[in-house]
Amino acid sequence: MARIVMKFGGTSVGDIDRIKNVAKRVKREVEAGNEVAVVVSAMSGVTNQLVDWCKQMAPLHDQKEYDTVVATGEQVTTGLLAIGLQELGLKARSWTGWQVPIRTDSTHGKARIDSIDTPEMLADMAEGVVAVVAGFQGIAPGNRIATLGRGGSDTSAVALAAALKADRCDIYTDVDGVYTTDPRIVTKAKKLDKITYEEMLELASVGAKVLQTRSVEMAMKHHVRVQVLSSFVDAPGTLVCDEDEIVEKELVSGIAYSRDEAKITLVRVSDRPGVAAAIFGPLAEAAVNVDMIVQNVSEDGKSTDLTFTVGRADLDRARKVIEDHKATLAYEGLICDANVVKVSVVGVGMRSHAGIAQKMFQTLASEGINIQVISTSEIKISVLIEEKYTELALRALHTAYGLDAA
Ligand code: ADP
Ligand code: ASP
Ligand code: MG
């Protein structure tokens, strides 16, 4: 007997028939003798609608109340699935984040899980009751509902698998595994049988939304065996595992893109010690993550342009923080541009092979695509380009790195 966590994303629970289909999949695992906890997302489209309502109430709303609103989607799915399982003759009960409880920090809107209390759930599961847990949510200090950031149900599932010491965490979604790039954009994308935690982490962090970044971090830290599988077809998925489990290693394992980017340029900001701290300190305090940063060489020794990227959802917040500090920063202009996309090439092979960045720049140049900002890490190169070139850039790079399926 194994103990497993199964997670179903929004499309997989998108309507009543799909939830009934999920119930059947869960039943198969129970009948195979497994102890099962299921983590579910909100039905597809629901979270977007809830987020939109918060924005309509006030563009810069209280994040605690945002969490109260957006966490509701998952509760509906837990109850519906529990009913579906009971209809199939199984014992099942729903759990919200606060009932478990899944404790988080107080970074509302993108909270981190601190701990999960499992004794009650384990006792229930030992009695043969399927635990149906709401993904994406937890309980923050002060007894406030918290959510884990978009895509956070993946993290709920992996964290629960670690806390329950589960043998496996199966992430069911609307594609049958992790591909070399988003298969919805590049039809020649190839499915990977296995991918290292490290590469998956990097791909997720640069936009491959098939797994939330924190879920991969968590899996890596706690050695959770994660599989990405289709909830619609029975086919082997992709296993996320340690590097030594992978025999054939590619130079480049995947290409990702993120439209969740916005570029901010401070024009002619004064060039003196402490300026970067004066800009990025207040942004950090406002929980705005800054990603790529470039500072031009100062021509007159007095002022320079500083460009950086933030998440698109944080753009209004970031703009306000910078405008509030205009007196200290003494910049001449502030340009905000959400019409950008970040395209990244990831592969452990970059550690030992030169020329991978050059191939990226050359390929984009030959398609006439201008690179606005570049950033690199040990196993990744990212460029910021105009959004309208997303598909073109992805297809050209996929071919250039020899990743196209035969
Ligand atoms: P869920 O609702 O199940 O959590 P998501 O929409 O969050 O599903 O993630 C699945 C989607 O991720 C796929 O539909 C696909 O378009 C996208 N995706 C992006 N990059 C990749 C990749 N490299 N491999 C597979 N899917 C990817
Ligand atoms: N429902 C949440 C979202 O759409 C969490 C998730 O699906 O993972 O972001
Ligand atoms: Mg997701």
Side-chain angles (χ1 to χ4, degrees):
M1 186 189 83
R3 182 178 295 157
I4 58 175
V5 172
M6 305 169 80
K7 180 257 168 178
F8 294 89
T11 317
S12 313
V13 293
D15 58 33
I16 295 298
D17 282 340
R18 288 187 174 176
I19 297 176
K20 287 182 176 171
N21 174 51
V22 165
K24 285 187 199 141
R25 279 193 181 266
V26 174
K27 187 176 186 203
R28 282 209 308 233
E29 294 292 357
V30 175
E31 285 179 342
N34 297 314
E35 247 179 32
V36 183
V38 190
V39 172
V40 285
S41 292
M43 295 163 81
S44 61
V46 168
T47 311
N48 286 347
Q49 173 70 81
L50 297 167
V51 170
D52 195 51
W53 282 339
C54 292
K55 285 190 189 144
Q56 285 183 38
M57 284 308 287
L60 290 178
H61 41 258
D62 177 0
Q63 291 292 90
K64 293 191 178 80
E65 300 308 342
Y66 163 94
D67 279 350
T68 303
V69 176
V70 299
T72 57
E74 271 67 16
Q75 184 172 332
V76 173
T77 329
T78 56
L80 291 174
L81 180 58
I83 294 172
L85 291 166
Q86 289 164 3
E87 281 300 293
L88 296 181
L90 300 180
K91 288 191 275 182
R93 75 150 279 192
S94 59
W95 297 81
T96 59
W98 64 266
Q99 287 173 322
V100 177
I102 296 173
R103 294 189 194 285
T104 71
D105 66 11
S106 48
T107 325
H108 285 274
K110 45 186 162 191
R112 280 181 178 272
I113 296 176
D114 284 335
S115 65
I116 302 183
D117 282 357
T118 51
E120 210 184 323
M121 188 183 291
L122 277 172
D124 223 31
M125 287 167 69
E127 300 280 313
V129 182
V130 177
V132 185
V133 184
F136 186 49
Q137 54 172 265
I139 181 99
N143 255 356
R144 300 300 307 257
I145 291 169
T147 63
L148 309 178
R150 298 306 305 269
S153 298
D154 297 328
T155 303
S156 308
V158 176
L160 189 64
L164 294 172
K165 300 194 170 47
D167 299 281
R168 284 192 339 252
C169 181
D170 294 342
I171 308 274
Y172 288 89
T173 183
D174 55 5
V175 284
D176 59 357
V178 179
Y179 280 71
T180 44
T181 191
D182 189 341
R184 298 197 188 285
I185 294 202
V186 180
T187 45
K188 290 177 180 164
K190 267 189 302 204
K191 187 166 90 181
L192 303 165
D193 296 334
K194 292 179 179 176
I195 185 164
T196 66
Y197 288 116
E198 209 184 348
E199 285 170 314
M200 191 62 240
L201 182 62
E202 202 78 58
L203 275 175
S205 75
V206 291
K209 66 170 186 160
V210 60
L211 288 176
Q212 199 202 32
T213 309
R214 280 183 192 160
S215 72
V216 190
E217 251 168 39
M218 185 93 64
M220 194 166 168
K221 187 165 158 206
H222 298 283
H223 290 279
V224 179
R225 277 181 94 75
V226 173
Q227 268 190 99
V228 177
L229 303 148
S230 162
S231 31
F232 306 116
V233 289
D234 285 313
T238 301
L239 177 71
V240 189
C241 59
D242 283 320
E243 202 169 335
D244 54 16
E245 285 189 55
I246 300 184
V247 188
E248 271 183 52
K249 297 187 185 72
E250 304 284 346
L251 285 185
V252 165
S253 55
I255 305 173
Y257 68 97
S258 167
R259 290 196 165 104
D260 178 35
E261 308 287 319
K263 186 178 72 167
I264 297 180
T265 302
L266 272 75
V267 183
R268 296 187 67 79
V269 67
S270 64
D271 192 16
R272 58 176 166 76
V275 162
I279 296 169
F280 298 120
L283 286 172
E285 273 162 35
V288 173
N289 283 336
V290 172
D291 178 17
M292 307 166 102
I293 304 176
V294 275
Q295 182 175 340
N296 285 352
V297 177
S298 169
E299 277 174 22
D300 55 7
K302 289 189 197 131
S303 62
T304 179
D305 294 348
L306 184 81
T307 296
F308 55 92
T309 61
V310 297
R312 214 174 271 187
D314 288 338
L315 182 59
D316 290 342
R317 213 174 289 275
R319 189 205 309 258
K320 181 163 190 314
V321 169
I322 294 165
E323 283 171 352
D324 287 350
H325 289 77
K326 186 165 196 307
T328 349
L329 299 173
Y331 55 84
E332 280 180 19
L334 178 63
I335 305 169
C336 296
D337 179 7
N339 185 24
V340 289
V341 63
K342 182 172 71 173
V343 174
S344 310
V345 168
V346 171
V348 284
M350 281 181 213
R351 285 201 200 107
S352 47
H353 288 78
I356 293 179
Q358 173 55 16
K359 181 170 273 185
M360 183 175 203
F361 305 150
Q362 193 61 56
T363 306
L364 295 174
S366 61
E367 297 293 343
I369 301 172
N370 185 41
I371 299 173
Q372 303 178 11
V373 185
I374 301 172
S375 75
T376 62
S377 78
E378 203 188 2
I379 63 164
K380 173 204 81 190
I381 311 153
S382 299
V383 296
L384 198 72
I385 60 174
E386 208 180 321
E387 188 176 5
K388 69 177 182 193
Y389 294 121
T390 313
E391 281 86 1
L392 178 61
L394 284 179
R395 292 199 188 104
L397 291 168
H398 201 264
T399 305
Y401 288 109
L403 296 174
D404 288 352

